[in-house]
């Protein structure tokens, strides 16, 4: 759950600060309820989010500073103050005191204190995230707990244990059998790093009314063999403030011997010379100029009917530009490679037939797939 589109999703739903904005991270209570609040102030405007530590779900805020502090309200109801929750905060010491008034009229005292930058411990120091967690995110992801679910055997040999986070009801799995213990521990750390990122995305996407705007976030495919653990996560969301709903499929493939997350080029390399660093300019050029055109030619040979091109529905799969940065993951049939279209043709995304068979992978990379 650490691929490019999920990373973009996470960034999209985090509070957005204007250039040169003053940012404050606060922690305290509304009544007896612990909360965390992030505020960004610029040019006379204030925006941000807060969450109750018990529920972890972002609630958007907007407002304005005054001489004593801030006047804030629920962003979704600015046009209807009768429904809006409101904060009236006065500066005091290292933070603020004031009142919270709900849209139903109930009033509670508020006390918030500044959180020193860099003072928040990581929720899981053993995990390596694709992007460093901000202190606000660390506080949200602290003290998560998980409920075990069903056990499953994959491929007749490999055991997995499903578990879920009860607030979001989002589920993931751990590998529990079929590999050496040290390898399984490393695999599960990689899985957990992606899962924590997915949970941050879930709680960071607000619907504007106190709940999450994530409509679905689930493992849609999983495959295990002696060399790889590979899975896909499908998600859809409509975050408050976004122009439109969106969706994605994201793949993760892990080296079963080391627990390291693999790049597509580790499995299927069509270039010459040294492989470029992922997300570098050379890597982007390779994907656009070498990989995507070659994939189009291969898929035209493997799936000529599906690849005939635009039949009036906007699904032009002969365009290399829809294949260069699509999702990918392994299945029992081979390497699935997805397509990504512009918004007007998003119904064409990720067709179910675009699989590169293991016979092709074996010819391309016999050292890895020649068993």
């Amino acid at each position: 759950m650490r691929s490019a589109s999920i990373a973009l999703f996470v960034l999209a739903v985090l509070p957005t600060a204007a250039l040169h904005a003053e940012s404050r991270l606060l922690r305290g209570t509304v009544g007896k309820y612990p909360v965390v609040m992030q505020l960004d102030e610029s040019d006379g405007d204030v925006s941000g989010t807060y969450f109750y530590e018990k529920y972890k779900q972002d609630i958007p805020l907007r407002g304005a500073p005054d001489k004593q502090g801030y006047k804030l309200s629920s962003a979704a109801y600015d046009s209807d103050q009768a429904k809006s929750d409101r904060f009236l905060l006065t500066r005091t010491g290292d933070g603020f005191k004031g009142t919270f008034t709900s849209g139903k009229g109930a009033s509670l005292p508020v006390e918030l204190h500044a959180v020193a930058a860099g003072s928040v411990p990581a929720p899981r120091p053993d995990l390596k995230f694709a992007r460093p967690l901000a202190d606000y995110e660390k506080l949200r992801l602290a003290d998560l707990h998980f409920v075990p679910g069903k056990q499953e055997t994959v491929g007749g040999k490999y055991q997995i244990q499903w578990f879920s986070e009860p607030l979001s009801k989002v589920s993931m799995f751990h590998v529990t059998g079929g590999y050496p213990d040290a390898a399984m521990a490393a695999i599960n750390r990689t899985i957990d790093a992606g899962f924590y990122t997915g949970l941050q995305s879930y709680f960071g996407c607000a619907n504007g009314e106190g709940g999450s705007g994530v409509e679905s976030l689930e493992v849609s495919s999983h495959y295990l063999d002696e060399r790889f653990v590979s899975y896909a996560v499908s998600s859809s969301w409509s975050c408050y403030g976004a122009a439109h709903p969106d969706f994605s499929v994201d793949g993760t493939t892990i080296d079963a011997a080391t627990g390291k997350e693999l790049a597509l080029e580790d499995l299927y390399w069509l270039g010459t010379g040294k492989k470029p660093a992922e997300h570098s300019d050379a890597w982007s050029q390779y994907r656009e100029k070498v990989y995507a055109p070659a994939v189009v030619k291969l898929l035209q040979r493997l799936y000529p009917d599906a690849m005939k091109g635009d039949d009036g529905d906007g699904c032009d799969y002969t365009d290399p530009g829809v294949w260069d940065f699509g999702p990918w993951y392994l299945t029992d049939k081979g390497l699935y490679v997805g397509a990504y279209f512009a918004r007007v043709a998003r119904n064409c995304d990720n067709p179910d037939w675009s699989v590169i068979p293991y016979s092709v992978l074996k010819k391309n990379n016999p050292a890895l797939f020649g068993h």
Side-chain angles (χ1 to χ4, degrees):
M1 205 179 295
R2 295 167 60 190
S3 61
S5 60
I6 277 288
L8 291 173
F9 173 32
V10 173
L11 293 175
V13 300
L14 289 175
T16 302
L19 290 176
H20 310 297
E22 181 180 4
S23 184
R24 300 179 183 275
L25 178 60
L26 305 165
R27 190 179 189 185
T29 54
V30 172
K32 62 180 181 179
Y33 307 107
V35 297
V36 176
M37 185 179 293
Q38 175 79 55
L39 297 176
D40 297 302
E41 178 182 348
S42 180
D43 300 326
D45 292 321
V46 180
S47 63
T49 58
Y50 77 104
F51 63 85
Y52 291 91
E53 293 190 28
K54 181 178 179 180
Y55 300 109
K56 303 186 180 297
Q57 178 61 55
D58 265 359
I59 302 171
L61 292 170
R62 63 175 59 165
D66 63 19
K67 293 180 180 180
Q68 287 76 38
Y70 294 118
K71 293 181 179 179
L72 306 168
S73 62
S74 302
Y77 295 124
D78 265 10
S79 60
D80 188 352
Q81 288 295 321
K83 295 182 179 179
S84 177
D85 295 338
R86 300 179 297 282
F87 285 91
L88 182 60
L89 303 177
T90 301
R91 300 177 194 273
T92 174
D94 69 342
F96 297 84
K97 289 185 177 181
T99 57
F100 165 87
T101 304
S102 74
K104 297 180 180 180
S107 183
L108 294 170
V110 178
E111 184 169 350
L112 302 168
H113 298 278
V115 178
S119 66
V120 182
R124 285 281 302 273
D126 58 323
L127 302 185
K128 294 181 179 180
F129 295 96
R131 175 184 59 82
L133 295 176
D135 286 341
Y136 183 84
E137 297 170 285
K138 292 177 183 178
L139 289 169
R140 189 208 306 282
L141 297 175
D143 303 321
L144 290 175
H145 72 280
F146 305 98
V147 178
K150 67 177 182 178
Q151 297 178 333
E152 183 180 348
T153 299
V154 182
K157 179 179 179 180
Y158 307 99
Q159 287 79 49
I160 62 175
Q161 168 76 65
W162 291 90
F163 59 93
S164 63
E165 192 285 316
L167 293 174
S168 64
K169 297 182 174 59
V170 176
S171 295
M172 184 44 71
F173 65 86
H174 274 169
V175 178
T176 57
Y179 306 101
D181 288 346
M184 287 192 294
I187 291 167
N188 290 332
R189 284 194 294 271
T190 299
I191 291 172
D192 283 352
F195 187 43
Y196 270 63
T197 299
L199 291 173
Q200 167 58 23
S201 299
Y202 180 94
F203 293 122
C205 174
N207 66 6
E209 299 180 355
S212 177
V214 176
E215 297 163 2
S216 66
L217 183 62
E218 60 185 5
V219 176
S220 53
S221 173
H222 58 289
Y223 172 79
L224 291 80
D225 67 16
E226 62 182 285
R227 298 154 297 174
F228 308 108
V229 174
S230 190
Y231 58 95
V233 173
S234 298
S235 54
S236 62
W237 63 89
S238 181
C239 305
Y240 173 78
H244 44 67
D246 212 339
F247 59 91
S248 72
V249 177
D250 301 281
T252 298
T253 297
I254 302 168
D255 184 328
T258 65
K260 177 184 176 182
E261 184 172 353
L262 299 171
L264 175 59
E265 288 71 34
D266 295 324
L267 278 66
Y268 191 58
W269 168 242
L270 301 173
T272 59
K274 185 178 179 181
K275 298 173 185 176
E278 196 170 10
H279 304 303
S280 66
D281 290 342
W283 173 82
S284 296
Q285 286 294 309
Y286 159 76
R287 285 290 189 94
E288 294 173 5
K289 304 299 184 183
V290 178
Y291 167 77
V295 165
V296 168
K297 291 181 180 179
L298 175 62
L299 296 179
Q300 285 177 317
R301 178 169 62 83
L302 294 173
Y303 310 102
D305 291 339
M307 288 289 290
K308 285 180 179 178
D310 190 352
D311 59 2
D313 59 3
C315 301
D316 184 4
Y317 294 114
T318 66
D319 176 9
V322 307
W323 298 101
D324 47 7
F325 301 110
W328 65 273
Y329 51 91
L330 291 170
T331 73
D332 57 354
K333 295 180 179 179
L335 174 65
Y336 177 83
V337 291
Y340 183 86
F341 285 77
R343 169 140 303 277
V344 293
R346 287 298 300 279
N347 60 298
C348 306
D349 277 15
N350 305 323
D352 57 10
W353 48 264
S354 52
V355 176
I356 300 174
Y358 281 108
S359 58
V360 174
L361 300 178
K362 182 177 178 179
K363 290 179 180 179
N364 173 264
N365 192 344
L368 193 60
F369 293 101
H371 300 290

